[in-house]
Amino acid sequence: MKNKLLITFICLLLIISGIGLITATSSSGFNQTAAVAADGEAAETDSDASPGDNDSQAGQSNNQNEARLPDQASLQEIIDLALENNYGYSQLQYQLEEAEARKAQLEAGLDWRGDLLTDLELVNTPEVLKTVYDIAEEDIDDYLGFVNFTVAASRDIISDPETDFQREALELDISDSELELSRKEQELIVEVAGAYYDLKEAKTGQMLAERAVEISEKQLEQVQVLYEAEEATETDLKEVELEIEEARDGLETAKEMVSLARENLEQTLGEASLDSQQIDTLALAAAEEIDLPEKASPWPWDLEASKEIARDERLDLERLRQAIDLIDAEEARLKDEQSPDFTASFSYRPADIDILASVNLDDSGRLITSLTRVESNLPDLPELEDLDDEEVEQILEDLLELVDVSWDDFNDIDLDQNGIDLDAPDNQDSIDLGDMDQVQTSSQNNNNLEPMNTSNNSNSNSGSNSSSTWQISLGMEYNFYDSGLEEEQLREIEAERKGQLESLAEAESGIGLEVEAQWQELESAYRELRNSKSNLNLASRRLSDGDHLLETEMITEYEYNMLELNYYQASADVITAYYHLRQEQAELALALGLSADWYRGELGD
C-alpha cells in the first residue's frame, strides 16, 4: 500500500513538472519581439484579428515542428521560406547539381589518372614442359602461377572534337537546369511578392473599413443627440443606422479579404503557417510620408537599355545560344570523322631489368604510359654447358617424339634472333645445334614475357640477347568513302543551325515586346500613385480647413466626418497604389531576367 502511494506521489510530481515546462515554453514563445520592417514602413496599426487568423495562430501553437516566421516577417524572409519549402524548386536544384557533377566528371576524366593493375593466373603445367625438365633432371610444379604488375598513368593531351562535343552537350544540360531553376525561382518570388502585397492591400482596406465604422458610430451618436433634442427626424436616425450596418458589412467583407489573402500567401510557403499579424502594414496616417519616386522604374536605364539588358540576362536566350554552340561542336565532330585517325606507341625493355616500359597515344589524343613486370614460379632452364652435342641432340629428339612431330613438318625453322639455326638434317639423325652459348642464353631469355605487336607498320631493333630492346608502332585509320553519308549529316546540321538562329531572333524580338509591355504597366502604376498622392494632398487640405470650419460652426459634425472619411479613403488609395507599384516592379524584374539576389535587394521591406 505504501509503495502504491509513493508511486502515485512521484507521478503527480512529474505531471506538475511537465505542466511547468509547457507553461515556460509557451510563455517564452509568446514573448518574442522583432524589428519593424525598413523602407519607411511604420508598424501596423492595432486591429482585431480575423477568425481565420486565430485559427492559424492556434495551428502554429499545436505544431511545434513546422517552419515558422518571426513576429514581423519581411518579404525576404517569406521568399526564403517559400523557396525552402517548395518541393519543385528543391528537385530542380538537385537536377542542376547532377548536371554539374556530370560536367565535372568529364573534365576530371581528361586530367591525369593513375592505375595499378594486377593479374594472377594459375595454369596446369604442360606435359611437354614437364618432359623437358624431367630430361634435364630438374623439378617443376604441377601448377604454374604468373603475376602481372602494371603501373599506368594517362592524360588527354590533344583536344578531341568528340570530347568538345560531349562538353558542349553537358554545358547545354547545365544551362537547361539553370534555366528551369531560375525560372521557377523568379516566378515563385514574383508570386510571393504579389501575394504579400495583396495581403498588405487587404489589411489597408480593413483599416479603412474600421475607420468607416468608427465614423458611422460617431455620426449615430450625434444624430441621436439631435433626435432627442428634436432637431433631427426619425428618418435621419434610420439613415445613419443603415450607414452603420453598411459600414459593418464592409468591415466583415474586408476581414474576409484579409483572411483570403493570408491563405493565398500561406499556400506559397508550403507547410509553413502564417498569421496576418506577422505582415506589417503602413498605417493610414503614414500615407503622406510615402515619397513619390522621380520615375516609375527603380533602375537607372531607360526602355531601350532595359531591352538590351533583358537580351543579355534572360537565361532562355542564353540557352538558345548554347544550343547553337552545340550544333557547331557537332559539325566539328563530323568533319573530324572525315580526317585520318593516327595512333602511335613505343615500348622499351632495359637489358638488366625485367620491366617493360610503354607509351601509347590513341586516336582520341590520350597519352597512356605504363610499366609492367611479370613474376612466375617457373624454374630457370638448366645450364647446358656440361652437356655434349649428343646429349642435347637426344633431348631434342625426345621432345619431337613426345609431340609426335618429325623434321619433315618443319620448313627451315629460323630462330636467328635467338642464335639458333635449325635445319632438318639430311639423314634426320643429326641436328646442327649452332652455338651452344647462344642456345643457353636464348633458353634463359625465353622465360621472360615479350611484348607482342599486331601493328602493320613497325620498326624494331634488337641486338644480342643481353642488350636492351625497343619497338615503335604507328597506325592510321581513314574512311575514304561513305556514299555521301557525312555530307548529308552536315546538310542536316546546317539546316538545324539556321532554324535555331531564327528561333533566337524570334525570342529576342518577343522579349523586347514583353519588356515594353511590362514597362507600360509600370508607368501606369506610377501614374496611379502620383494621382493618389495628389488626391491625398487635396483631401488633407480639405480636412485641415474642416477643422477651422468646425470650430467656427460653419459646417456640421456630419460634414466634418465625411471630410475625415474622405481623407482616410485617399490615404488608403495611396498605400494601395504604392503596393501596386512594387508589384509591377517585381513583374518588370522578371521580364528583365534579373537574379533572385537582385529581387531580394529591391523588393525587401
Side-chain angles (χ1 to χ4, degrees), residues 352-425:
D352 301 328
I353 305 177
D354 191 14
I355 291 179
L356 175 65
S358 64
V359 179
N360 297 279
L361 182 65
D362 61 17
D363 57 355
S364 65
R366 189 166 187 86
L367 180 67
I368 305 172
T369 62
S370 64
L371 293 174
T372 303
R373 179 179 177 86
V374 178
E375 295 287 348
S376 71
N377 64 338
L378 180 65
D380 294 335
L381 287 175
E383 298 289 340
L384 301 180
E385 294 178 355
D386 299 334
L387 300 178
D388 56 22
D389 293 346
E390 294 181 357
E391 291 175 333
V392 174
E393 182 179 347
Q394 183 62 41
I395 292 175
L396 294 178
E397 290 179 352
D398 292 341
L399 289 175
L400 291 175
E401 181 180 357
L402 177 65
V403 298
D404 194 17
V405 176
S406 66
W407 287 111
D408 293 335
D409 298 324
F410 294 91
N411 183 13
D412 192 12
I413 301 177
D414 186 8
L415 301 176
D416 183 60
Q417 290 186 356
N418 291 325
I420 302 176
D421 185 7
L422 293 180
D423 295 327

Side-chain angles (χ1 to χ4, degrees), residues 103-324:
K103 174 68 162 38
Q105 290 174 18
L106 174 65
E107 299 298 339
L110 301 177
D111 208 341
W112 280 108
R113 173 179 175 178
D115 296 286
L116 177 62
L117 307 176
T118 302
D119 294 331
L120 175 62
E121 184 177 1
L122 186 64
V123 297
N124 291 327
T125 303
E127 292 298 329
V128 63
L129 195 58
K130 289 182 180 180
T131 302
V132 172
Y133 279 87
D134 288 343
I135 295 174
E137 297 181 352
E138 293 289 337
D139 296 332
I140 186 172
D141 297 334
D142 293 335
Y143 297 94
L144 296 179
F146 299 89
V147 181
N148 186 349
F149 298 96
T150 301
V151 178
S154 61
R155 187 184 192 278
D156 276 51
I157 60 174
I158 301 177
S159 178
D160 178 38
E162 177 67 26
T163 303
D164 294 338
F165 173 74
Q166 294 178 4
R167 183 183 290 109
E168 289 292 339
L170 292 175
E171 289 178 354
L172 185 62
D173 289 341
I174 293 176
S175 297
D176 287 339
S177 299
E178 289 177 343
L179 174 61
E180 294 300 324
L181 180 63
S182 177
R183 180 181 297 161
K184 181 68 175 179
E185 183 179 26
Q186 294 183 11
E187 289 177 353
L188 185 59
I189 287 174
V190 173
E191 180 183 359
V192 172
Y196 175 80
Y197 287 117
D198 285 342
L199 178 56
K200 283 177 172 281
E201 292 179 13
K203 294 184 67 174
T204 301
Q206 180 179 344
M207 288 189 293
L208 178 62
E210 290 171 350
R211 291 289 185 177
V213 171
E214 293 176 2
I215 293 175
S216 298
E217 291 175 348
K218 185 190 301 184
Q219 184 68 21
L220 178 60
E221 293 176 358
Q222 295 171 356
V223 172
Q224 285 177 341
V225 172
L226 295 176
Y227 178 74
E228 293 175 356
E230 297 182 354
E231 295 181 4
T233 64
E234 185 176 357
T235 301
D236 296 333
L237 184 60
K238 294 296 183 181
E239 289 179 355
V240 175
E241 290 177 351
L242 181 60
E243 291 176 358
I244 290 179
E245 292 298 328
E246 293 177 352
R248 288 173 178 171
D249 291 341
L251 179 58
E252 291 300 323
T253 301
K255 289 181 179 181
E256 292 176 359
M257 295 299 296
V258 170
S259 179
L260 179 60
R262 178 192 59 79
E263 292 176 359
N264 290 336
L265 179 57
E266 195 176 48
Q267 288 181 355
T268 65
L269 301 181
E271 298 178 355
S273 299
L274 177 68
D275 184 357
S276 64
Q277 299 298 324
Q278 294 174 279
I279 308 302
D280 66 303
T281 307
L282 286 173
L284 294 179
E288 297 184 16
E289 300 176 4
I290 296 178
D291 296 328
L292 184 67
E294 295 181 359
K295 59 179 183 176
S297 174
W299 303 289
W301 47 80
D302 57 10
L303 175 58
E304 294 303 322
S306 297
K307 292 180 180 179
E308 292 299 326
I309 290 174
R311 295 187 181 101
D312 293 336
E313 297 294 333
R314 288 283 290 265
L315 292 181
D316 43 355
L317 293 182
E318 182 63 24
R319 197 270 177 207
L320 291 175
R321 298 187 187 101
Q322 290 193 355
I324 296 175

Side-chain angles (χ1 to χ4, degrees), residues 527-539:
R527 290 192 296 269
E528 179 186 356
L529 177 60
R530 183 180 58 193
N531 295 335
S532 298
K533 284 286 293 184
S534 299
N535 293 334
L536 177 60
N537 293 334
L538 180 60

Side-chain angles (χ1 to χ4, degrees), residues 458-586:
S458 63
N459 297 322
S460 62
N461 179 30
S462 61
S464 64
N465 292 308
S466 60
S467 64
S468 303
T469 60
W470 55 269
Q471 179 174 296
I472 297 177
S473 299
L474 300 176
M476 182 190 74
E477 180 181 352
Y478 178 59
N479 180 17
F480 63 89
Y481 181 71
D482 61 357
S483 302
L485 174 62
E486 292 184 353
E487 286 76 6
E488 294 301 324
Q489 290 175 338
L490 291 175
R491 278 184 51 193
E492 179 186 359
I493 288 177
E494 183 62 26
E496 185 179 359
R497 177 190 289 108
K498 292 180 180 179
Q500 288 289 348
L501 290 174
E502 292 295 330
S503 298
L504 178 60
E506 182 182 6
E508 289 178 347
S509 176
I511 285 177
L513 295 176
E514 180 183 349
V515 171
E516 184 174 358
Q518 192 56 50
W519 189 278
Q520 297 300 328
E521 293 290 336
L522 183 61
E523 290 289 344
S524 177
Y526 178 76
R527 290 192 296 269
E528 179 186 356
L529 177 60
R530 183 180 58 193
N531 295 335
S532 298
K533 284 286 293 184
S534 299
N535 293 334
L536 177 60
N537 293 334
L538 180 60
S540 178
R541 288 195 298 267
R542 287 176 176 174
L543 182 61
S544 179
D545 294 340
D547 292 334
H548 176 71
L549 295 175
L550 182 62
E551 291 178 358
T552 58
E553 298 183 353
M554 297 181 64
I555 60 174
T556 63
E557 289 284 346
Y558 178 81
E559 293 173 332
Y560 180 80
N561 291 338
M562 291 299 101
L563 291 176
E564 188 178 13
L565 183 60
N566 182 59
Y567 170 78
Y568 288 133
Q569 179 66 59
S571 299
D573 291 341
V574 169
I575 295 174
T576 300
Y578 169 72
Y579 291 148
H580 185 207
L581 178 66
R582 300 297 293 272
Q583 285 181 289
E584 293 301 331
Q585 290 174 353

Side-chain angles (χ1 to χ4, degrees), residues 83-115:
L83 293 174
E84 179 182 352
N85 292 338
N86 190 276
Y87 295 113
Y89 179 75
S90 300
Q91 183 180 5
L92 293 175
Q93 282 183 316
Y94 295 140
Q95 290 180 2
L96 176 59
E97 292 178 5
E98 292 176 4
E100 292 175 343
R102 288 192 294 268
K103 174 68 162 38
Q105 290 174 18
L106 174 65
E107 299 298 339
L110 301 177
D111 208 341
W112 280 108
R113 173 179 175 178
D115 296 286

